[in-house]
């Protein structure tokens, strides 16, 4: 490997290098929900990706050690919620380990296919899970959009450098 002037000191691949690079990558913030045997589950995700327009498919990653994974691993349908700038606290709640994610302070209802749907989000989708692909200590979940709503309030919430941010004009 040859050093390129102005690029600093290259580091070998590692979990820390991956985390460091992706802290510099701004990402939209979503909450993924599913119905579980013991009640609804959900988690904050920044790995949401559009996959295909025809059929309409998306993907997201989830760690196999995550508390939501057992329910997501068995779910036929999931909810995908795009969070708004006004929902930093909601994003933090769904990201925090051990938090009462569907307790007081989280406005939600049971939606189509029994999927928990969060209130007040700029957009939400109900999706049918069509695949779960092993990827290291995670699974990439592929899901086909069944229905959704894009008429909610607000501008998108972003995640960058380990913090939540709003868009600037």
């Amino acid at each position: 490997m040859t050093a390129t002037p102005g690029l600093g000191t290259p580091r070998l691949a590692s979990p820390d290098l991956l985390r460091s690079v992706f802290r510099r990558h701004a990402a939209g913030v979503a909450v993924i929900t599913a119905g579980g045997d013991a009640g609804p589950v959900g988690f904050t995700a920044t790995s949401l990706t559009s996959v295909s327009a025809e059929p309409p498919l998306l993907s997201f990653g989830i760690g196999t050690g995550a508390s939501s994974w057992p329910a997501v691993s068995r779910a036929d349908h999931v909810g995908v919620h795009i969070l708004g700038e006004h929902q930093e606290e909601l994003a933090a709640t769904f990201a925090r380990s051990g938090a009462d994610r569907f307790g007081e302070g989280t406005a939600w209802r049971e939606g189509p296919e029994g999927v928990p749907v969060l209130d007040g989000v700029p957009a939400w989708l109900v999706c049918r899970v069509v695949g779960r692909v092993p990827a290291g200590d995670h699974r990439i979940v592929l899901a086909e959009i069944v229905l959704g709503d894009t008429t909610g309030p607000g501008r998108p919430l972003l995640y960058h450098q380990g913090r939540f941010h709003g868009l600037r004009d």
Side-chain angles (χ1 to χ4, degrees):
M1 175 179 358
T2 323
T4 305
L7 291 184
T9 306
R11 298 173 16 201
L12 292 175
S14 70
D16 286 340
L17 176 61
L18 177 77
R19 288 184 196 100
S20 180
V21 167
F22 277 90
R23 272 193 289 275
R24 288 162 175 77
H25 173 70
V29 180
V31 166
I32 310 299
T33 61
D37 294 338
V41 300
F43 64 97
T44 299
T46 57
S47 61
L48 183 64
T49 304
S50 170
V51 173
S52 168
E54 190 55 47
L57 296 172
L58 58 78
S59 70
F60 59 86
I62 179 172
T64 56
S67 61
S68 296
W69 170 243
V72 172
S73 74
R74 293 185 300 275
D76 293 328
H77 292 82
V78 294
V80 176
H81 307 82
I82 305 301
L83 298 192
E85 291 175 328
H86 61 287
Q87 295 177 306
E88 250 184 76
E89 191 174 316
L90 185 65
T93 296
F94 276 83
R96 194 171 28 256
S97 180
D100 184 5
R101 296 173 180 159
F102 290 90
E104 193 173 317
T106 300
W108 67 282
R109 64 193 181 285
E110 185 173 316
E113 304 296 340
V115 171
V117 175
L118 302 176
D119 293 338
V121 296
W124 60 267
L125 300 165
V126 169
C127 303
R128 182 176 61 84
V129 175
V130 296
R132 294 173 185 87
V133 180
D137 61 355
H138 279 61
R139 294 297 179 267
I140 305 302
V141 178
L142 293 167
E144 183 174 8
I145 297 167
V146 175
L147 60 95
D149 183 8
T150 62
T151 61
R155 294 164 29 130
L157 182 63
L158 300 177
Y159 188 73
H160 180 252
Q161 293 286 46
R163 295 182 33 229
F164 297 112
H165 301 274
L167 288 176
R168 293 186 205 173
D169 290 329

